[in-house]
């Protein structure tokens, strides 16, 4: 324990002992209050709460409560001043408790129930010394303040159980027994809210010390980082994976008593699992290297500017298609996934001339993805079949029995269409990063490629993921 922490503890000790003696005097007059486990917090809280955090009605109630407590003879103002002095001088407690009210809550939970049991007993002073020594160990000897954000990545499995994402971010498999603690559930051993078949892999970041004491805002920022990773995973390879809920946990463990009231998480907990958890989206350590490269690409100033340029026609096209493709990872019903995929592929490949729309969309997809006639024909037929099913759904002419039984399209077909769409969007993204600027520019090239094989090869080479990533890795600081 450092010398500075020792001096800080002396101020804390004064506050705790003053509070103990004041409670002893109060209980001598009001003995029935001894059974109240929150007595200290109720007596000192109204005097220590920050007025700036209250609205006018709350301020009025707080002032009335403070006057009533003072009228009882309890020195709440003096104790409140000591608590403010502790928070002002003690960096560790300021980071953990944030406000004097948090410190009052800590004292009430961690030491005052024991204090109440020894007040008036023989050797009271020695008992108080022993209780305070144990309290100091709890406060100061469980490590520095840290907050850790956990964002669930739905349906993900990793090999090994921890994968490095960035300097301060990892993917980690969490045991089922630890998830209730993360969510602050009262259940032990197994979460009621989190279905294990949805996967137990979380995106984890942590911060030691406090720059911003707004936990909700910090958790939102970490969730955005998880969303960026999840987006890369959705386009990295085929499979269902999506952003889940985000939770927060604190160290020392007692901080969770102060800053996690009840269930605390952002986002939604996805209760319906994908294929009963039997078809995971898996990422290996080797694959993670490519994922990290893509994250580096998207963080590069030039490419980040291209991806955030809302005035660029091609970027707008990618956003329209991407929105529905990503939605297909979240939706469970076959009809909803099918429509989302169809809208996305139409956003990519529909020409401005709406004549023969089904044919042109299928042709454009086949020309972009297929390297030969033998590859293009199955893509063409598959995309046309998807568009036919989509038309039956939106026009109300589908087979009701198949729809009711979930047989309108097989899981294999949905995955096939999702794969075509993923590869197409990724190709558009690479072309955007290579300074293509409009959907029409790409569609014109696809039309020309029907009659000029060299054009087809050139377009597919320009949009090839491996070539692009290798070029970036060779020269990550490229200007152009």
């Amino acid at each position: 324990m450092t010398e500075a922490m020792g001096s800080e503890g002396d101020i804390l000790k004064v506050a705790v002992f003053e509070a103990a003696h004041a409670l002893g005097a109060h209980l001598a007059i009001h003995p029935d209050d001894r059974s109240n486990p929150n007595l200290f917090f109720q007596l000192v809280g109204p005097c220590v709460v920050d007025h700036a955090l209250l609205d006018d009605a709350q301020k009025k109630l707080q002032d009335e409560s403070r006057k009533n407590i003072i009228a009882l003879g309890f020195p709440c103002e003096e104790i409140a001043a000591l608590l403010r002095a502790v928070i002002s001088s003690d960096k560790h407690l300021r980071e953990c408790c944030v406000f004097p009210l948090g410190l009052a809550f800590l004292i009430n939970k961690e030491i005052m129930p024991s204090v109440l049991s020894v007040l008036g007993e023989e050797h009271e002073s020695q008992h108080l010394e022993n209780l305070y020594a144990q309290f100091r160990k709890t406060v100061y000897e469980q490590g520095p303040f840290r907050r850790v954000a956990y964002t669930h990545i739905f349906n993900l499995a990793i090999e090994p159980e921890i994968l490095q994402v960035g300097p301060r971010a990892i993917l980690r498999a969490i045991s089922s027994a630890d998830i209730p603690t993360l969510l602050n559930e009262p259940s032990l051993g197994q979460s009621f809210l989190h279905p294990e078949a949805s996967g137990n892999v979380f995106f984890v970041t942590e911060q030691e010390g406090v720059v911003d004491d707004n936990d909700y805002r910090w958790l939102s920022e970490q969730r955005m980082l998880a969303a960026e990773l999840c987006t890369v995973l959705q386009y990295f390879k085929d499979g269902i994976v999506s952003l889940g809920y985000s939770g927060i946990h604190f160290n020392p463990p007692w901080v969770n008593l102060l800053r996690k009231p009840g269930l605390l998480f952002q986002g939604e907990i996805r209760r319906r699992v994908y294929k009963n958890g039997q078809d995971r989206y898996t990422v290996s350590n080797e694959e993670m290297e490519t994922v990290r490269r893509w994250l580096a690409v998207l963080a590069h100033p030039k490419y980040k500017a291209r991806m955030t340029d809302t005035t660029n026609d091609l970027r707008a096209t990618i956003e329209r298609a991407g929105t529905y493709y990503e939605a297909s990872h979240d939706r469970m019903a076959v009809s909803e996934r099918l429509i989302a995929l169809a809208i996305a592929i139409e956003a990519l490949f529909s020409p401005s001339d709406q004549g023969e729309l089904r044919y042109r969309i299928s042709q454009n997809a086949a020309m972009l993805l297929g390297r030969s006639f033998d590859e293009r024909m199955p893509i063409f037929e598959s995309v046309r079949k998807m568009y036919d099913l989509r038309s039956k759904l939106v026009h109300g002419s589908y087979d009701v029995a198949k729809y009711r039984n979930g047989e309108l399209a097989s899981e294999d077909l949905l995955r096939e269409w999702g794969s075509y769409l993923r590869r197409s969007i990724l190709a558009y993204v690479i072309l955007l990063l290579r300074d293509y600027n409009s959907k029409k520019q790409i569609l014109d090239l696809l039309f020309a490629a029907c009659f000029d094989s060299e054009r087809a090869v050139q377009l597919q080479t320009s949009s090839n993921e491996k070539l692009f990533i290798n070029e970036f890795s060779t020269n990550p600081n490229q200007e152009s």
Side-chain angles (χ1 to χ4, degrees):
M1 191 178 302
T2 66
E3 182 179 347
M5 189 172 288
S7 63
E8 293 163 357
D10 290 338
I11 303 173
L12 180 62
K13 182 176 182 179
V14 171
V16 169
F17 275 59
E18 286 292 324
H21 295 142
L23 283 177
H26 175 85
L27 291 173
I29 303 172
H30 306 280
D32 291 343
D33 285 352
R34 185 179 289 271
S35 61
N36 181 358
N38 296 316
L39 179 62
F40 172 72
F41 189 72
Q42 291 173 1
L43 289 173
V44 79
C47 300
V48 80
V49 68
D50 187 347
H51 257 219
L53 302 177
L54 307 177
D55 59 30
D56 290 340
Q58 290 171 329
K59 288 176 183 177
K60 183 177 179 181
L61 287 173
Q62 186 262 357
D63 286 338
E64 290 176 358
S65 297
R66 182 177 57 83
K67 290 176 182 177
N68 291 336
I69 291 167
I70 292 173
L72 290 173
F74 188 81
C76 65
E77 295 282 18
E78 291 83 350
I79 295 173
L82 287 170
L83 296 181
R84 292 189 188 97
V86 172
I87 290 296
S88 176
S89 62
D90 188 324
K91 179 177 179 291
H92 178 69
L93 284 175
R94 186 166 59 252
E95 289 179 338
C96 293
C97 301
V98 184
F99 301 110
L101 187 66
L103 177 58
F105 186 86
L106 170 66
I107 292 171
N108 182 83
K109 285 293 184 183
E110 291 293 336
I111 187 170
M112 281 306 163
S114 299
V115 166
L116 291 177
S117 69
V118 303
L119 288 177
E121 298 291 322
E122 187 178 2
H123 308 302
E124 174 187 302
S125 296
Q126 187 57 51
H127 287 315
L128 289 177
E129 290 285 350
N130 294 339
L131 290 173
Y132 179 72
Q134 184 58 47
F135 177 63
R136 269 185 68 83
K137 287 184 177 181
T138 299
V139 170
Y140 293 112
E141 296 185 13
Q142 295 184 12
F145 174 78
R146 286 187 297 115
R147 52 187 175 185
V148 187
Y150 294 84
T151 298
H152 180 232
I153 308 298
F154 176 81
N155 200 48
L156 179 63
I158 57 174
E159 302 170 359
E161 292 189 345
I162 294 179
L163 289 180
Q164 197 72 35
V165 178
R168 292 181 294 276
I170 60 172
L171 284 172
R172 179 182 171 191
I174 305 293
S175 73
S176 298
D178 289 336
I179 292 177
T181 301
L182 168 62
L183 286 166
N184 218 27
E185 287 184 270
S187 56
L188 297 175
Q190 184 174 356
S191 171
F192 177 78
L193 295 173
H194 174 104
E196 185 174 1
S198 67
N200 287 1
V201 174
F202 289 77
F203 176 80
V204 183
T205 58
E206 68 176 68
Q207 178 190 61
E208 184 171 316
V210 173
V211 176
D212 176 0
D213 58 29
N214 187 317
D215 296 327
Y216 190 89
R217 181 164 54 215
W218 181 78
L219 182 58
S220 297
E221 292 169 354
Q222 307 313 299
R223 181 173 173 80
M224 289 296 293
L225 297 176
E228 292 175 8
L229 171 66
C230 196
T231 298
V232 170
L233 292 177
Q234 287 176 336
Y235 293 97
F236 168 67
K237 69 176 187 176
D238 297 335
I240 296 296
V241 64
S242 62
L243 187 70
Y245 63 91
S246 298
I248 192 169
H249 197 69
F250 300 94
N251 194 70
W254 55 263
V255 178
N256 293 282
L257 295 172
L258 312 182
R259 296 168 75 156
K260 285 180 66 172
L263 294 174
L264 180 64
F265 59 90
Q266 293 182 11
E268 296 183 3
I269 298 177
R270 189 164 167 177
R271 299 286 300 163
R272 292 182 63 188
V273 301
Y274 178 65
K275 296 183 70 173
N276 200 32
Q278 300 303 308
D279 190 7
R280 294 272 193 253
Y281 182 110
T282 60
V283 176
S284 67
N285 200 35
E286 292 75 17
E287 290 174 319
M288 198 65 205
E289 176 59 32
T290 303
V291 171
R292 286 191 289 266
R293 289 182 182 182
W294 268 115
L295 290 169
V297 166
L298 297 176
H300 187 281
K302 175 192 172 181
Y303 297 139
K304 187 173 183 178
R306 293 288 287 173
M307 292 297 294
T308 55
D309 181 5
T310 57
T311 65
N312 184 287
D313 173 75
L314 182 54
R315 179 66 187 93
T317 295
I318 292 168
E319 183 171 348
R320 294 187 196 102
T323 296
Y324 284 95
Y325 169 68
E326 291 164 27
S328 74
H329 286 247
D330 293 324
R331 296 172 184 172
M332 298 298 295
V334 167
S335 58
E336 293 179 349
R337 289 172 64 193
L338 171 59
I339 290 174
L341 292 171
I343 292 173
I345 211 159
E346 186 171 336
L348 288 181
F349 294 118
S350 61
S352 56
D353 175 9
Q354 297 297 299
E356 290 293 332
L357 190 61
R358 178 185 67 162
Y359 179 87
R360 297 284 297 278
I361 290 172
S362 304
Q363 180 189 59
N364 287 331
M367 287 304 302
L368 180 67
L369 300 176
R371 294 184 175 274
S372 66
F373 177 82
D374 289 341
E375 287 187 5
R376 289 170 190 147
M377 277 307 297
I379 297 172
F380 176 87
E381 294 295 344
S382 182
V383 173
R384 188 164 64 171
K385 181 177 181 178
M386 178 179 70
Y387 201 78
D388 286 342
L389 275 174
R390 170 260 186 203
S391 297
K392 289 179 181 179
L393 274 172
V394 298
H395 294 300
S397 58
Y398 55 86
D399 187 311
V400 174
K402 287 185 177 180
Y403 180 90
R404 187 188 308 120
N405 296 328
E407 300 171 352
L408 199 63
S410 69
E411 182 64 37
D412 288 342
L413 268 178
L414 288 171
R415 289 188 67 126
E416 181 179 309
W417 296 333
S419 178
Y420 294 151
L421 184 56
R422 176 190 69 81
R423 290 160 55 196
S424 297
I425 295 174
L426 188 54
Y428 271 49
V429 167
I430 293 169
L431 292 172
L432 173 72
L433 300 182
R434 291 195 186 277
D435 296 326
Y436 285 68
N437 289 309
S438 73
K439 170 183 169 181
K440 184 178 184 302
Q441 184 182 7
I442 295 175
L443 296 186
D444 287 347
L445 287 170
L446 287 171
F447 181 74
C450 294
F451 307 98
D452 185 344
S453 60
E454 290 185 6
R455 291 281 190 94
V457 171
Q458 179 184 356
L459 185 60
Q460 290 176 345
T461 301
S462 296
S463 60
N464 185 281
E465 176 192 5
K466 289 184 179 179
L467 289 176
F468 177 79
I469 283 291
N470 287 338
E471 288 173 18
F472 177 82
S473 300
T474 302
N475 184 19
N477 297 315
Q478 57 193 291
E479 294 296 326
S480 61

